């Protein structure tokens, strides 16, 4: 993986200024979806089995 | 030289970089294990440990991949892993197992009646609807292996990872439209027979399918020069 050496620093991709705002919005939505998927994959099967039982 | 490979004056400790690499491996592993559903809680723990290690490495001086990129690639990985397993269970013999049958018949109760009635009734097993089975096969054999490999390349910040993430996400989007149309065309059987109808399907299967709508704008606007050939 390409990495910088240096002080504590998060690499930033060099995007045009309008896209930085877009990327922040997309990152926020992606974070919500990411958490949603993690929670879904964690609780889905137990919920199904409690609600409908084994088939 | 790209923005991500520029050297800085003070180098990070090799410990921090090694910790970041270990955290990255755990992050990928956690995303994939989360997608197994059965081991979902274990995957979530592995994932959180990986993120914590990467954050600690960042504070210790390692320069890391942009978090937005990590998030986007992680979203692709979890989404692909969940769907790959689910479609795989439908297509392959695992639809006959207790867990496979329970997963899909219960999914039929929640949102899609095509998995509830006549499940495992025809020679192929799984759902009896031909259109749904065709989508299952293309998801299993083409799109999700491609997306998982592309997300791995994206996490490595390779140019091929970026290119194939774009291709695979567009393919996914196209199939998403076909899948939604397929669902709507069989509305009485699919939504009508399920306990939660459209809401159940929306919460369980529609939201995960919306990934490309977020990922494609990012992938198309990120600077490709930051990715290595």
């Amino acid at each position: 993986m390409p990495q910088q050496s240096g002080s504590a620093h998060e690499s930033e991709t060099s995007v045009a200024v309008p896209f930085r705002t877009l990327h922040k919005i997309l990152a926020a939505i992606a974070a919500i979806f990411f958490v949603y998927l993690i929670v879904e994959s964690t609780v889905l099967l137990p919920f199904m089995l409690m609600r409908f039982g084994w088939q | 030289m790209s923005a991500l490979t520029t050297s800085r004056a003070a180098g990070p400790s090799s410990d921090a970089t090694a910790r970041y690499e270990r955290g990255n491996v755990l992050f990928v592993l956690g995303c994939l294990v989360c997608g197994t559903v059965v081991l979902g809680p274990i995957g979530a723990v592995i994932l959180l440990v990986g993120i914590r290690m990467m954050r600690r490495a960042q504070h210790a001086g390692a320069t890391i991949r942009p978090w937005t990129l990590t998030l986007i690639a992680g979203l692709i990985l979890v989404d692909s892993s969940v769907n790959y397993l689910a479609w795989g269970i439908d297509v392959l013999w695992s639809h006959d197992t207790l867990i496979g049958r329970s997963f899909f018949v219960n999914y039929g109760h929640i949102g899609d009646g095509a998995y509830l009635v006549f499940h495992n009734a025809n020679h192929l097993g799984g759902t009896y609807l031909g259109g749904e089975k065709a989508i299952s096969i293309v998801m299993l054999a083409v799109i999700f292996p491609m997306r998982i490999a592309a997300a791995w390349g994206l996490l490595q910040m390779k140019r091929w990872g970026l290119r194939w993430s774009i291709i695979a996400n567009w393919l996914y989007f196209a199939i998403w439209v076909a899948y939604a149309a397929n669902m709507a065309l069989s509305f009485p059987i699919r939504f009508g027979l399920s306990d939660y109808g459209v809401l159940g399907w929306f919460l369980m299967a529609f939201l995960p399918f919306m990934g490309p709508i977020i990922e494609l704008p990012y992938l198309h606007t990120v600077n490709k020069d930051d990715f290595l050939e």
Side-chain angles (χ1 to χ4, degrees):
Chain A
M1 179 189 341
Q3 287 183 340
Q4 290 174 303
S5 57
S7 56
H9 174 76
E10 178 189 351
S11 303
E12 287 185 9
T13 47
S14 50
V15 293
V17 173
F19 292 146
R20 286 185 187 158
T21 307
L22 174 70
H23 282 193
K24 282 179 185 170
I25 295 167
L26 292 172
I29 301 171
I32 294 167
F33 271 56
F34 191 67
V35 172
Y36 182 90
L37 273 171
I38 300 297
V39 172
E40 183 186 353
S41 63
T42 304
V43 303
L44 182 63
L45 197 66
F47 167 75
M48 280 176 162
L49 294 177
M50 280 192 293
R51 177 71 179 80
F52 304 108
W54 294 95
Q55 304 292 331
Chain B
M1 185 178 290
S2 80
L4 295 173
T5 54
T6 308
S7 294
R8 298 205 168 216
S13 67
S14 58
D15 281 354
T17 305
R19 184 183 293 171
Y20 183 75
E21 294 290 348
R22 286 198 300 275
N24 190 47
V25 170
L26 288 178
F27 177 77
V28 173
L29 188 66
C31 287
L32 294 175
V33 174
C34 265
T36 62
V37 181
V38 176
L39 301 175
I42 298 169
V45 172
I46 297 172
L47 178 70
L48 290 174
V49 170
I51 291 173
R52 191 173 174 219
M53 285 175 73
M54 287 195 287
R55 284 192 64 82
R56 281 191 172 180
Q58 182 184 12
H59 291 309
T63 298
I64 65 167
R65 180 180 55 228
W67 279 105
T68 307
L69 184 66
T70 303
L71 196 60
I72 293 287
L75 183 61
I76 296 174
L77 271 178
V78 179
D79 176 10
S80 300
S81 180
V82 169
N83 277 287
Y84 185 63
L85 186 91
W87 296 107
I89 290 172
D90 179 61
V91 172
L92 300 173
W93 303 273
S94 42
H95 51 223
D96 289 325
T97 61
L98 178 63
I99 192 107
R101 199 170 57 242
S102 297
F103 179 80
F104 268 111
V105 173
N106 288 341
Y107 170 55
H109 279 294
I110 289 177
D112 187 352
Y115 291 93
L116 180 60
V117 293
F118 306 124
H119 190 254
N120 283 343
N122 67 9
H123 63 292
L124 285 173
T127 181
Y128 75 101
L129 284 180
E132 183 74 0
K133 186 63 77 182
I135 289 176
S136 297
I137 291 168
V138 77
M139 291 290 197
L140 178 70
V142 180
I143 295 177
F144 287 115
M146 190 189 285
R147 273 186 106 217
I148 290 172
W152 172 249
L154 194 65
L155 280 170
Q156 302 302 308
M157 297 201 71
K158 299 287 188 187
R159 196 76 65 88
W160 65 263
L162 178 64
R163 288 193 199 108
W164 280 97
S165 291
I166 291 172
I167 293 167
N169 272 292
W170 273 116
L171 277 173
Y172 188 28
F173 181 74
I175 294 294
W176 176 78
V177 174
Y179 174 69
N182 199 25
M183 289 286 292
L185 289 168
S186 306
F187 190 97
I189 294 170
R190 306 192 74 169
F191 294 111
L193 288 180
S194 62
D195 288 14
Y196 299 104
V198 175
L199 179 65
W201 176 72
F202 189 90
L203 289 175
M204 190 175 160
F206 182 79
L207 280 175
F209 273 75
M210 288 177 71
I213 294 171
I214 301 157
E215 289 143 17
L216 282 169
Y218 177 82
L219 295 170
H220 276 292
T221 53
V222 76
N223 188 350
K224 70 178 189 311
D225 293 334
D226 292 334
F227 292 79
L228 299 177
E229 282 289 358

